[in-house]
Every structure is written in C-alpha cells, then in structure tokens.
Amino acid sequence: MGSLSRQLHIFFFPFMAHGHMIPTVDMAKLFASRGVKATIITTPLNSLLFSKTIERNKNLGVDIDLRILNFPSMEAGLPEGFENMDSVTSHANAGELIIKFFHAVSMLQEPLEKLLQECQPDCLVADMFFPWATDAAAKFGIPRLVFHGIGFFSLCTGLVIKQYKPHKKVSSDSEPFVVPHLPGDIKLTRKRLPDTVRQEVETELTKLVEASEESETKSFGVVINSFYELEPAYADFYRKVLGRRAWHIGPVSLCNRVIEDKAQRGKQASIGEHECLKWLDSNKPNSVIYICFGSVANFSASQLMEIAMALESSKQQFIWVVRRDKNYKEDEEKWLPEGFEERMKEKGLIIRGWAPQVLILDHEAIGGFVTHCGWNSTLEGITAGKPMVTWPVSAEQFYNEKLVTDVLKIGIGVGVKEWVRLRGDFVERKAIEKAISRVMEGEEAVEMRSRSKKLGEMAREAVEEGGSSYSDFNALVEELQRRRP
C-alpha cells in the first residue's frame, strides 16, 4: 500500500444482530491485518460477543479498537438488556419489540456524532439500518460507506423491482413475473417478495428501507461481502447500469484462518470445537448433511418434527442446528419424534443453540448444506464448496435462493412458496427428504458438488494477493487515502 504519513483509520459500526455483526467484525479484522487502524463501535452487551476474538487478534499483532455506546433500551420501551435482535425475535411479541428496537437504534445518532468528532476517523463503515449515519459523518467531513450484508445479485434484484414494480403487473400472488432488465431471466412471484415490497401501506419498516436507500445514494459508496467471479454480471450491473459505487472485498469469513477464529464467531457455541471435529472426523467425505437456519428463523414445533422425520427416512448422516424460542421450556421437546435421538445417535448430531458453522462447513465430511439462504450462510457454503438445499424464510433470502439454484446451479429448492417473517412457510417431510437426497446422492449431486468446489476455489483465490477482492480492497484504501486532508 506504499508508505503512509499517517495510518488510515476506519470506524466499523454494525447493526446489533448476529448476521450483521459477524461479517463486520471479520471486515474489521481484514482491514486491520492489512495495515489499517480499525475501530469497532458497539454496545456493552454486544461487545462481549467478540471481545475474545479481538483479544486473540491483538496477541497476534492485529490491533482492533473497541468503542462502546450505551444502548437506550429502557428509553425506547424495551426490557433492560435487549441490545440485540436475537433478544427481540425470540420474544412472544416480536413484532411490537422490533419497532421499539429500531427506535432505540435511531437514538444512537447523537452519541455516534460525539465519537466521530472526538476521533476524526478517515471513514465510517456503517450498516444499512443506520440511514442517519451518512449525514452524521458528513457533519465532520467523513465519508460513509454502507454495508448491506448482502451480495450484488440481491441488491440488483431489490432495486430493479422497486424501480419497475413488475409484481404489480401480474394478476395473482402466485403468478411468476420476470425481473425486467436484470441479466439471467430471473423469475419470482409476489409471494416470495419481502413484505416491505408487497405492502401498499407505509409502515415504520418501509420508511426505514426508504431512508436507507436514500442515504446510500448520498454516501461515499457500498462495501460488499462478495467476490467478482461469483456474480460478475450483477457486479457490473450494479456499478455500470445502476450507477452505484461499490467495492467487493469478500468472502470476509476467509480472514479466519485458525480453528479458534472459525469456532468463535458470534455467540458461544453450544458444542466444543474439538467434540464437533471429532464427530465429523469419524465420517466419510461428503457423507454428512448440515442443517442450519441462521440466528433469526424460529420454526414451529410441527415444522421441526417434519425435519426430524425427513432426516430419519433419508438415512443420511446429519448435523442439525436447532434454535428454540425462549418461550419453550427446554424439557418439553415435543418437536422430536419419540426415541428419535436414541435411534439417531450413530447417524446424527443435534446442536441446540449456536454452532461453529464455518468450522463445520469446511470439513470434508460435509456433503451438503440445508440453509435459509441468509447471505452469510450462503457465502460460507459457497466458500466451503458445498452444494445446498435452499429453504428461504424472509429478508432477501428468496433472491439469494435464485442465485444459488438458477444462476450458479449449485442448489435444490425445498419448495418454499411464501415469504413469512421468522416462522417461515411450512414444508412437508417428503419434500425435505427428496431435496436432501438430490443434493447428497446421484449424478445431479456429483455435478453440483463439482461446480460448488470450483466456486470455493475461486473464493479463496479472490482474497489472495492479485485476486479480485484483494485488488478491490487496495483500490478502496487508496481512494480513501487520496481524499484525506
């Protein structure tokens, strides 16, 4: 990067949800490892989730600072200690609490501005859910980069649908429409669109999305956790056709090179990494299906029962990560068939809570991944070279499914028809079993595995010296250095 008269200093401000914090912390580690001074801004309870990672990196000579802003839970009408979306989405009245949570988040603008004024960083990388961050940074002449936490394909799809409204030109919720002007002849239905797109009535969430889009157009640009070779047509479309400034620097998860870093991303894992690896080591290559639906999806007991029955009848080895709502008592596990764990103890491993996902996916025993298609999980699956069973629930996950199944051709849809926040659309056991079998066995599985493996190799090449993400990272840093006073 050449000699610097003064070290470049970047603030990273993630939204308080695991799916946003994990890649932002990885991003901060990436910048810090390449000679940039990185400071993560977060709240007291959220800082505990990655303090060990920061400490371990400091011991390795990668210095990341941490600055804490108090989270106004009580002022926004939230219970004390509700500083993360995980607390909100697992609560009985999640819908009401989500609005209060976003209100609390908006109250962080003033303390952020004080911090910006005090530290005068060279750039602020702030999450899309902080639309006020562009104006806050501009007050002090600081450029703001937006972090959406999703890839080019979904960004393009969302913007094109908003602009041309093709979903309003079909006669029913289930009639397919082509997303106009987007490369690849992508077809969707109204049922698969986020509720903020479908709703005619303005809500707090639709207002937030509007404000986020407006603040992006005024920002310095967008930093994206993806790599060019994964979605070249959509990277070009986003920058050249939609005219957005963007830099791809991913997959950022690849900055975690040692077992501890891979195992300790996000919350404390519910299983020790050595126990997990020992179980995986006892299985043959490509023989285990890994099932995980991220940190937000909260399936009903009856849906979990269908998954259990499908796993048993599929006769596949499996690791199944189950997130249970806090309203359920742990001893009332009516979501499992009677005697299931005893019958499956040789074939499967159930992890209740948080799993070391990157560590699991990277293991040669994993032959397929049943995923909700959140971008972090999708990209981690791609990076590990694993074919997928796609099971989108909400957010932009139906768009990501299209990328996996229709564009990259490395996945099979489980057959979800409708966008349903948190709980997801119901899928029956036969459909689950069929999709798992198609990804794990037969000629189709071999072809998908071959394509997946090539993409995994491309992902790793992208972040190495001379790779597309390595080069875009350098271009971004150089541009930030040039505009510095």
Side-chain angles (χ1 to χ4, degrees):
M1 274 189 257
S3 61
L4 302 180
S5 55
R6 177 168 60 84
Q7 189 181 25
L8 199 68
H9 184 195
I10 300 182
F11 268 12
F12 295 88
F13 191 18
F15 181 63
M16 300 81 186
H18 296 294
H20 294 246
M21 288 193 300
I22 290 169
T24 307
V25 172
D26 282 346
M27 209 190 315
K29 284 160 65 177
L30 170 66
F31 276 81
S33 70
R34 301 272 293 274
V36 176
K37 182 178 178 176
T39 298
I40 299 171
I41 306 163
T42 192
T43 67
L45 292 179
N46 286 305
S47 70
L48 303 176
L49 297 168
F50 44 82
S51 54
K52 277 185 187 172
T53 298
I54 289 175
E55 197 56 43
R56 191 166 51 253
N57 277 271
K58 276 187 176 176
N59 294 335
L60 295 170
V62 178
D63 197 5
I64 302 171
D65 282 343
L66 199 55
R67 296 299 291 259
I68 307 296
L69 303 179
N70 286 322
F71 192 75
S73 305
M74 307 289 276
E75 296 92 318
L78 289 165
E80 192 174 357
F82 273 47
E83 293 186 17
N84 191 290
M85 278 294 274
D86 190 43
S87 315
V88 175
T89 56
S90 59
H91 205 275
N93 57 334
E96 178 191 328
L97 291 175
I98 286 170
I99 302 302
K100 289 180 177 178
F101 190 82
F102 279 112
H103 177 56
V105 165
S106 71
M107 293 162 74
L108 293 171
Q109 180 172 353
E110 193 179 324
L112 172 69
E113 287 180 6
K114 284 180 182 171
L115 202 55
L116 290 170
Q117 188 172 23
E118 176 195 333
C119 301
Q120 288 291 319
D122 297 300
C123 178
L124 169 67
V125 177
D127 197 277
M128 63 164 287
F129 284 128
F130 307 143
W132 36 266
T134 299
D135 290 338
K139 284 183 184 179
F140 309 102
I142 297 165
R144 182 262 175 122
L145 282 166
V146 181
F147 180 60
H148 286 278
I150 61 178
F152 285 108
F153 178 86
S154 291
L155 283 168
C156 293
T157 304
L159 287 168
V160 167
I161 288 173
K162 183 179 184 293
Q163 184 176 347
Y164 294 101
K165 299 179 172 45
H167 57 294
K168 293 192 173 176
K169 295 167 187 167
V170 287
S171 56
S172 74
D173 284 351
S174 52
E175 184 185 338
F177 61 84
V178 174
V179 182
H181 307 293
L182 196 66
D185 196 35
I186 305 302
K187 289 179 182 162
L188 286 162
T189 63
R190 271 204 300 250
K191 278 187 175 183
R192 292 182 167 94
L193 298 181
D195 55 8
T196 51
V197 177
R198 281 187 285 177
Q199 284 168 352
E200 299 289 340
V201 183
E202 190 176 64
T203 65
E204 290 300 316
L205 287 177
T206 57
K207 280 194 271 188
L208 179 68
V209 171
E210 286 287 332
S212 173
E213 287 169 1
E214 188 186 335
S215 81
E216 185 195 315
T217 59
K218 295 190 293 179
S219 74
F220 189 69
V222 181
V223 62
I224 294 179
N225 183 18
S226 185
F227 60 102
Y228 184 77
E229 294 79 4
L230 180 65
E231 36 185 357
Y234 305 98
D236 291 343
F237 187 87
Y238 189 69
R239 290 191 275 220
K240 294 172 185 173
V241 179
L242 298 176
R244 306 294 174 114
R245 280 164 57 80
W247 294 266
H248 49 81
I249 61 167
V252 295
S253 63
L254 286 173
C255 73
N256 300 289
R257 295 180 186 269
V258 298
I259 285 178
E260 287 81 6
D261 277 345
K262 290 179 184 181
Q264 293 171 17
R265 294 167 79 239
K267 286 200 286 190
Q268 179 70 38
S270 307
I271 185 172
E273 59 259 35
H274 299 296
E275 183 191 344
C276 193
L277 288 172
K278 186 181 174 186
W279 189 89
L280 284 164
D281 287 342
S282 70
N283 287 282
K284 294 175 184 173
N286 300 320
S287 66
V288 178
I289 185 84
Y290 172 62
I291 306 105
C292 183
F293 298 99
S295 58
V296 174
N298 216 335
F299 286 169
S300 65
S302 57
Q303 181 65 87
L304 295 174
M305 181 74 78
E306 291 294 306
I307 295 171
M309 301 288 272
L311 285 172
E312 187 163 4
S313 55
S314 76
K315 298 186 169 47
Q316 298 289 343
Q317 308 286 109
F318 65 86
I319 292 182
W320 180 19
V321 183
V322 182
R323 178 183 191 263
R324 294 305 284 131
D325 194 305
K326 289 187 180 114
N327 297 312
Y328 289 87
K329 291 180 184 172
E330 198 57 43
D331 59 345
E332 291 180 4
E333 300 204 331
K334 294 173 183 169
W335 49 274
L336 281 178
E338 198 168 334
F340 178 84
E341 286 192 89
E342 183 58 33
R343 292 193 301 276
M344 294 290 106
K345 67 182 179 184
E346 300 299 323
K347 291 195 75 69
L349 184 63
I350 296 179
I351 301 175
R352 292 165 175 78
W354 195 265
Q357 181 158 293
V358 166
L359 195 70
I360 292 169
L361 284 170
D362 278 350
H363 200 282
E364 65 173 5
I366 299 297
F369 179 19
V370 181
T371 175
H372 66 305
C373 299
W375 184 242
N376 292 325
S377 289
T378 302
L379 192 57
E380 285 159 15
I382 288 166
T383 304
K386 310 298 181 187
M388 295 175 235
V389 171
T390 57
W391 189 326
V393 176
S394 57
E396 86 300 343
Q397 293 156 16
F398 280 88
Y399 301 163
N400 295 336
E401 177 184 48
K402 283 285 171 187
L403 175 69
V404 169
T405 58
D406 292 15
V407 179
L408 302 174
K409 299 189 185 332
I410 56 165
I412 298 292
V414 80
V416 181
K417 301 270 193 301
E418 188 164 8
W419 194 105
V420 184
R421 192 186 299 279
L422 303 183
R423 285 290 162 140
D425 193 11
F426 194 80
V427 181
E428 293 184 350
R429 69 191 70 167
K430 281 186 180 175
I432 303 167
E433 184 192 345
K434 184 180 177 186
I436 287 173
S437 297
R438 285 179 66 189
V439 161
M440 295 296 285
E441 300 166 354
E443 197 175 313
E444 189 179 19
V446 171
E447 288 170 5
M448 280 192 289
R449 192 160 288 132
S450 172
R451 282 193 289 270
S452 301
K453 194 178 174 193
K454 281 177 190 163
L455 285 170
E457 288 163 2
M458 287 180 194
R460 282 167 165 74
E461 286 166 9
V463 300
E464 297 299 333
E465 190 167 355
S468 57
S469 291
Y470 189 97
S471 301
D472 238 23
F473 176 97
N474 280 351
L476 171 58
V477 168
E478 284 164 14
E479 188 158 347
L480 289 171
Q481 284 171 344
R482 278 199 302 271
R483 73 162 308 283
R484 196 162 63 174

